[in-house]
Amino acid sequence: LNCFAFNSFRFLIKGGLAGAAVYVAYDQGLLGSGTEGAEALRKAQETLPPAIQEWTDYLGWEVRAAQLPSTPKIDFSLSASWNKGVHTVMSALSVAPTRACEYTVEGWKYVKDLVK
């Protein structure tokens, strides 16, 4: 019973964190259009370095700007990736009947060979 309660508690914590992450992503516009995602990325690039500097000042750490890694340049188009995924799924669905027929014929041949 104790192990069950611990595992349930862990599951609830993980579920809460995952839900919070999805909410924050939705709230910041990361799940919207490509334009909204680009705007959210621009905001993050502007906000993170001052926030890091504020925390290091608060904690008493001395961090120089040269020590901080530069913000990575991300050239990622969400709409292009989505379109590529849609094309891949649609092409797979378009050949599915043909492949199903081929696999059925191969299956019948295999069963006939086993029966002989």
Side-chain angles (χ1 to χ4, degrees):
L1 182 68
N2 194 11
C3 183
F4 176 74
F6 180 70
N7 286 338
S8 298
F9 183 70
R10 279 184 24 188
F11 175 76
L12 290 175
I13 294 291
K14 288 180 181 181
L17 290 174
V22 169
Y23 173 76
V24 168
Y26 175 77
D27 187 49
Q28 294 299 318
L30 294 175
L31 300 178
S33 67
T35 307
E36 291 173 350
E39 181 65 24
L41 179 62
R42 187 191 59 75
K43 283 184 199 175
Q45 288 173 336
E46 291 175 356
T47 306
L48 281 177
I52 291 171
Q53 186 62 44
E54 181 181 336
W55 272 99
T56 55
D57 292 345
Y58 177 75
L59 296 174
W61 295 343
E62 184 178 335
V63 177
R64 295 186 185 99
Q67 291 175 335
L68 292 175
S70 63
T71 308
K73 302 293 183 213
I74 300 174
D75 187 25
F76 176 75
S77 172
L78 187 60
S79 62
S81 297
W82 176 263
N83 290 341
K84 183 178 177 184
V86 169
H87 285 291
T88 303
V89 169
M90 290 301 147
S91 67
L93 289 175
S94 69
V95 298
T98 306
R99 292 284 166 89
C101 185
E102 291 172 2
Y103 292 148
T104 304
V105 169
E106 289 177 17
W108 277 114
K109 285 181 184 176
Y110 179 74
V111 169
K112 286 180 183 178
D113 289 342
L114 284 178
V115 173
K116 286 183 182 180

